[in-house]
């Protein structure tokens, strides 16, 4: 299942990863480079598994850890209202 950022969320890449701005509340959320990579895959319609695969290809992390981290990230994004 793919996850999309809500329409009111703006993603801006930085030298340290990315920042997500919730335009409804004015709150900023920072993403480290691996989280930004995962969000980028998800934002393009990818699944959690595809995002985890991208993370394992870019960073020294095993498949199970990457998938668990992506799923945790998705849960957090949904909890704060940034993703659906």
């Amino acid at each position: 299942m793919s996850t999309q950022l809500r329409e009111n969320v703006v993603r801006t890449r930085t030298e340290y990863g990315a920042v997500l701005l919730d335009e409804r509340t004015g709150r900023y959320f920072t993403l480290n480079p691996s989280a930004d990579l995962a969000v980028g895959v998800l934002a393009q319609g990818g699944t959690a598994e595809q995002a985890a695969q991208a993370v394992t290809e870019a960073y020294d992390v095993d498949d199970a850890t990457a998938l668990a981290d992506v799923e945790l990230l998705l849960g957090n994004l949904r909890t704060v209202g940034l993703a659906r």
Side-chain angles (χ1 to χ4, degrees), residues 3-32:
T3 299
Q4 295 293 316
L5 294 176
R6 294 198 180 271
E7 300 80 34
N8 57 293
V9 176
V10 177
R11 175 176 165 237
T12 303
R13 299 194 65 197
T14 69
E15 64 184 290
Y16 304 108
V19 175
L20 300 177
L21 168 63
D22 184 341
E23 292 180 319
R24 293 173 306 162
T25 64
R27 292 179 61 196
Y28 285 91
F29 301 84
T30 58
L31 300 174
N32 66 26

Side-chain angles (χ1 to χ4, degrees):
M1 169 197 289
S2 66
T3 299
Q4 295 293 316
L5 294 176
R6 294 198 180 271
E7 300 80 34
N8 57 293
V9 176
V10 177
R11 175 176 165 237
T12 303
R13 299 194 65 197
T14 69
E15 64 184 290
Y16 304 108
V19 175
L20 300 177
L21 168 63
D22 184 341
E23 292 180 319
R24 293 173 306 162
T25 64
R27 292 179 61 196
Y28 285 91
F29 301 84
T30 58
L31 300 174
N32 66 26
S34 60
D36 180 46
L37 174 60
V39 166
V41 171
L42 296 166
Q44 294 178 22
T47 64
E49 291 78 12
Q50 291 169 324
Q53 181 63 38
V55 170
T56 62
E57 291 172 1
Y59 298 95
D60 185 23
V61 61
D62 63 86
D63 294 340
T65 300
L67 183 56
D69 288 350
V70 168
E71 289 174 345
L72 178 62
L73 172 64
L74 284 172
N76 289 337
L77 291 174
R78 288 182 183 125
T79 296
V80 298
L82 298 178
R84 50 177 145 39

